[in-house]
Amino acid sequence: MNIVVCLKQVPGITKVQIDPQTNTLIRQGVKGIINPFDTYALEEGVRLKERYGGKVTAISMGPPQAEEALREAISVGADEAVLLSDRAFAGADTLATAYTLATAIQKLNQYHLVICGRQTLDGDTGQVGPELAEMLKIPFVAYVSKVEEASDGVMRVRRMIEEGHEVIETSLPAAISVVKEINTPRLPSLRGLSRAKSAVIPVWTAEELGADKDLVGLAGSATKVVKVFFPQRVCRGEVLQGDPESQVDALLGKLGQAHII
Amino acid sequence: MGIRFDFDKCIGCGACVPDCPFGLLDVVDDKVHLREGCTLCGACQEACPYEAIIIEAVEQAPADGSYRGVWVFAEQRDGRIKGVAYELLSKGRELADALGAELCAVYLGHGVDGVGELAAYGADKVYVVDSPALADNQEEPLAEALSELVRQYKPEIVIAGATSLGRSVIPRVAAVLKTGLTADCTGLDIDPAARLLLQTRPTFGGNVMATIVCQARRPQMATVRPRVFKKAAPDGGRKGQIIKMDFSREGMTSKTRLLSFVEDLTEKVKLDEADIIVSGGRGLGKPENFELLKELAQVLGAALASSRPPVDDGWIPYSHQVGQTGKTVSPKLYIACGISGSVQHMAGMQTSECIVAINEDPGAPIFEIATYGIVGDLFKIVPLLIDKLKKE
Ligand SMILES: Cc1cc2nc3c(=O)[nH]c(=O)nc-3n(C[C@H](O)[C@H](O)[C@H](O)COP(=O)(O)OP(=O)(O)OC[C@H]3O[C@@H](n4cnc5c(N)ncnc54)[C@H](O)[C@@H]3O)c2cc1C
């Protein structure tokens, strides 16, 4: 099974800090990491390869330094990696990103499965997976928590929905997005680390991809940010004083008065 | 195209640096330096006293003006319309009125009833596609039917719930129509002159809000999480036109098939329908302690929720998680026990009408949004609360 894993390098911040003076995000010294949700996609790709044979190709669209993320992918089991990098790709929204990735996936040799993370830490939309599946004209199953079986041209997966989970059968090739419940990503092996170090990671530009310049980056983006602001948190609260007994009494009094309980 | 700096004009004064909401600007060797991730929001351009920052917009053809009207995707499951559809119709009514346009609901499924309700919540028209191919909510036929309807009737705006289904169908539709889509909007407004949908959403885990538009392409599409907008009171006297579409054509096939469905039964009271939610965090210490919260939930008739760490540690199923990567809730009362109030958690519950926080750390950020705060040990407070409620 030939598997393509799409991943993104994101700023490695779990807790975004805000400079209270200037009201901006503090980004200094922040290292790029593989989008945490994509590490599960990568791990699942590697596990499926171990189960069914084939190879895993990691692809990422991003600035030249996103190569680090791809090396990391190789260190945990990806066989090959391709970086899609070009100034023309900058400023891409999900539509332009999906187009760029889909074009690259088509250029790769025959693939059976595309795996994405459920969303990114920074953009946080979860739209790229289904959009690129549509562009590739393949089915997409979101929020997969288990790949039950894959064989000749079909795959059976479990996916999470609000009400529980569904078992879905899909023909291959297909694309899926995975949730963190699906696996526990492994740490790099020594062999993996040395492979990652010496791996040659090709960089594909818009021209090498044969991508339509009007469909990538800013030019290919349908949406545009017109304003950015910080949410106002108004402190409206009241801290209830006293010993536990009187705190609880005060709370019940307040909630009763407000007809909440 | 994009952002440029005129280094003949830039003196490296740094006036722009604090104004970048993403903190991407620095002064290096007396010249401004921009890191990756610029959204071209223009804040730095306004701040620059020397007009050294140039943001070139992409030349875009004006939007096709023949698109008119606001559509709401009325998601159903087993023939039952989801609550988020009514919330979106209530919002959609405001948007349609601001545009002087009609509001339509689109119902795609098999075995349809209750579509009259959609009119009561504001729809002027309801487009119905009733087909066995749509029975199991498989994405491809849904996306195909919705895209086809949009091509035919050309609405200027399409909004849908950011449910697990909406999140996978709607991006497909946007890709078919080659238009823009904004995920998880928390604010939707109209710029009436330009007939633009102003789509506001949190990014960076709720730390920054961004307003996004789709200028040149139509329709303008957005998803909204359940419980973000409030449902208006239904008007049973309102009549809408119900238009049954014939989609019995071939091609509506699916490469995916539903084999089985297993319901999550741990949730007795559904989180997104509950008036009261009792929620526990890492402060509970161990899985058994959820029993205490279950008891509180029981006496209050409340639903049980959790922050992420208890879910990660397997104390409680994922369906109970509230927050950025869980559910968004907006009950009348949200009782947070042993939850610190990370931005990711607050993103999922901060619109609750009344928030009670029980936490032993007076500096916990949850107190910043709590209506009533109790600084104390939850293992003392909660049992007392249960006792007193039982006596009442
Ligand atoms: C991309 C991303 C997505 C995320 N999505 C979510 C999400 O959807 N939902 C979510 O909740 N989190 C999410 N998180 C995690 C989030 O950042 C926090 O780590 C998490 O919300 C913290 O949970 P907590 O408040 O339960 O735990 P902590 O932050 O550890 O807080 C525990 C609190 O309990 C208090 N406490 C301890 N003992 C007692 C006691 N005996 N009595 C009273 N108080 C006590 C402590 O004072 C402390 O404030 C996400 C993180 C990332 C990076």
Side-chain angles (χ1 to χ4, degrees):
Chain A
M1 182 142 77
N2 288 342
I3 299 160
V4 181
V5 177
C6 302
L7 51 89
K8 182 180 183 189
Q9 190 183 45
V10 298
I13 20 177
T14 42
K15 199 169 169 189
V16 186
Q17 284 186 333
I18 296 188
D19 183 332
Q21 232 102 64
T22 59
N23 225 13
T24 58
L25 297 185
I26 301 174
R27 281 259 190 124
Q28 260 85 357
V30 175
K31 225 178 117 248
I33 55 164
I34 297 182
N35 171 42
F37 298 106
D38 297 342
T39 61
Y40 305 100
L42 186 57
E43 176 65 29
E44 199 55 28
V46 175
R47 287 187 190 193
L48 288 172
K49 175 192 80 172
E50 288 164 354
R51 235 158 93 189
Y52 300 109
K55 69 172 182 187
V56 175
T57 307
I59 64 170
S60 184
M61 182 188 92
Q65 59 265 34
E67 191 197 289
E68 299 157 20
L70 290 171
R71 282 198 194 280
E72 202 181 320
I74 290 174
S75 77
V76 289
D79 299 286
E80 290 168 10
V82 179
L83 176 64
L84 316 176
S85 193
D86 192 320
R87 287 213 68 85
F89 297 155
D93 69 356
T94 60
L95 193 68
T97 305
Y99 168 77
T100 310
L101 292 170
T103 311
I105 293 169
Q106 268 165 331
K107 193 178 148 84
L108 291 169
N109 273 338
Q110 203 198 10
Y111 65 92
H112 303 98
L113 182 64
V114 179
I115 315 182
C116 308
R118 60 172 286 170
Q119 71 201 89
T120 59
L121 207 56
D122 55 350
D124 199 12
T125 70
Q127 290 175 180
V128 171
E131 286 183 339
L132 76 85
E134 177 59 43
M135 292 172 187
L136 292 168
K137 298 282 170 228
I138 58 175
F140 179 79
V141 188
Y143 307 119
V144 169
S145 60
K146 191 172 182 206
V147 175
E148 295 193 336
E149 215 187 313
S151 61
D152 285 355
V154 279
M155 188 166 81
R156 200 169 65 236
V157 299
R158 196 188 265 213
R159 72 140 153 236
M160 305 215 302
I161 59 168
E162 286 84 355
E163 294 82 3
H165 68 257
E166 291 178 336
V167 179
I168 301 280
E169 186 183 84
T170 174
S171 63
L172 295 177
I176 59 174
S177 75
V178 299
V179 293
K180 67 177 180 354
E181 286 71 14
I182 197 166
N183 59 41
T184 310
R186 70 191 71 187
L187 294 170
S189 63
L190 276 175
R191 231 187 105 238
L193 286 172
S194 77
R195 278 195 59 232
K197 223 169 167 181
S198 57
V200 179
I201 296 180
V203 180
W204 290 355
T205 60
E207 194 165 312
E208 274 152 315
L209 269 182
D212 183 337
K213 290 248 189 219
D214 291 333
L215 300 181
V216 300
L218 205 56
S221 297
T223 56
K224 182 177 155 214
V225 177
V226 287
K227 194 172 112 192
V228 167
F229 58 99
F230 287 86
Q232 294 294 312
R233 290 235 160 77
V234 279
C235 180
R236 51 178 175 154
E238 182 182 344
V239 175
L240 306 172
Q241 306 293 344
D243 59 6
E245 181 90 31
S246 37
Q247 284 174 317
V248 169
D249 284 338
L251 178 64
L252 290 174
K254 300 267 183 203
L255 295 179
Q257 261 169 25
H259 301 288
I260 294 173
I261 54 172
Chain B
M1 184 170 63
I3 184 165
R4 270 196 307 121
F5 300 96
D6 183 340
F7 288 115
D8 293 332
K9 289 182 179 164
C10 176
I11 60 158
C13 70
C16 56
V17 172
D19 275 43
C20 174
F22 299 101
L24 296 173
L25 290 166
D26 278 322
V27 176
V28 180
D29 297 334
D30 287 338
K31 294 288 174 204
V32 65
H33 170 77
L34 175 71
R35 273 166 291 167
E36 284 294 327
C38 175
T39 66
L40 306 177
C41 73
C44 58
Q45 191 177 29
E46 275 170 41
C48 177
Y50 301 97
E51 295 175 0
I53 302 178
I54 303 129
I55 295 178
E56 285 161 352
V58 185
E59 273 302 317
Q60 283 189 320
D64 181 344
S66 65
Y67 283 75
R68 280 286 188 274
V70 178
W71 279 18
V72 170
F73 173 55
E75 181 182 337
Q76 55 82 28
R77 185 173 171 78
D78 301 327
R80 267 194 61 203
I81 295 164
K82 290 209 165 176
V84 65
Y86 301 119
E87 295 158 19
L88 293 182
L89 281 171
S90 305
K91 187 67 184 184
R93 188 69 259 168
E94 290 170 26
L95 303 177
D97 290 345
L99 286 164
E102 63 180 13
L103 175 66
C104 307
V106 182
Y107 180 102
L108 308 175
H110 186 45
V112 179
D113 73 335
V115 290
E117 276 285 277
L118 295 167
Y121 281 94
D124 300 311
K125 284 182 186 157
V126 182
Y127 293 105
V128 175
V129 182
D130 186 340
S131 158
L134 298 170
D136 288 334
N137 269 344
Q138 295 301 295
E139 284 87 342
E140 281 167 296
L142 285 177
E144 203 175 309
L146 184 54
S147 317
E148 190 50 43
L149 285 174
V150 168
R151 284 207 184 104
Q152 215 166 321
Y153 292 98
K154 300 186 165 189
E156 60 202 298
I157 292 171
V158 177
I159 51 180
T163 56
S164 56
L165 184 73
R167 281 173 197 277
S168 46
V169 171
I170 302 302
R172 280 201 93 105
V173 175
V176 172
L177 302 169
K178 301 187 169 58
T179 191
L181 170 63
T182 306
D184 289 339
C185 295
T186 53
L188 292 175
D189 283 297
I190 294 291
D191 171 349
R195 295 188 84 86
L196 279 179
L197 180 65
L198 305 174
Q199 310 160 65
T200 299
R201 73 183 299 264
T203 62
F204 284 97
N207 289 285
V208 186
M209 305 297 289
T211 302
I212 293 164
V213 298
C214 174
Q215 219 139 22
R217 310 199 200 181
R218 291 294 175 270
Q220 309 166 74
M221 298 181 65
T223 64
V224 178
R225 285 182 166 210
R227 289 275 180 169
V228 165
F229 294 131
K230 299 252 182 278
K231 229 193 286 198
D235 174 358
R238 261 193 75 97
K239 289 277 172 283
Q241 195 185 343
I242 292 173
I243 303 161
K244 291 220 157 123
M245 304 296 299
D246 183 18
F247 259 70
S248 52
R249 66 183 80 187
E250 40 196 296
M252 255 206 332
T253 51
S254 179
K255 297 190 206 83
T256 61
R257 197 154 63 91
L258 174 67
L259 298 180
S260 63
F261 164 63
V262 180
E263 197 175 355
D264 177 1
L265 294 170
T266 58
E267 228 188 325
K268 284 205 193 65
V269 186
K270 294 266 177 262
L271 263 190
D272 33 12
E273 290 160 17
D275 280 337
I276 303 180
I277 292 175
V278 173
S279 186
R282 181 149 41 199
L284 283 175
K286 52 182 177 195
E288 299 81 77
N289 289 335
F290 257 106
E291 293 304 320
L292 185 65
L293 294 197
K294 270 190 202 155
E295 202 183 337
L296 178 60
Q298 205 166 15
V299 287
L300 285 167
L304 193 63
S306 162
S307 66
R308 188 164 122 177
V311 173
D312 281 351
D313 293 344
W315 302 356
I316 187 167
Y318 169 74
S319 57
H320 295 259
Q321 183 180 317
V322 164
Q324 189 196 344
T325 43
K327 288 185 174 147
T328 301
V329 297
S330 189
K332 290 204 177 87
L333 175 61
Y334 188 92
I335 307 181
C337 309
I339 292 177
S340 63
S342 64
V343 280
Q344 291 90 357
H345 187 75
M346 296 204 282
M349 45 65 76
Q350 59 198 355
T351 58
S352 304
E353 272 167 49
C354 177
I355 297 168
V356 171
I358 303 170
N359 194 307
E360 60 186 9
D361 172 12
I366 189 82
F367 288 120
E368 288 168 27
I369 63 157
T371 323
Y372 304 114
I374 293 182
V375 179
D377 182 355
L378 79 94
F379 297 108
K380 293 211 180 81
I381 304 290
V382 175
L384 263 175
L385 202 53
I386 294 171
D387 260 8
K388 286 183 192 277
L389 280 165
K390 275 188 177 160
K391 277 184 199 132
E392 268 181 16

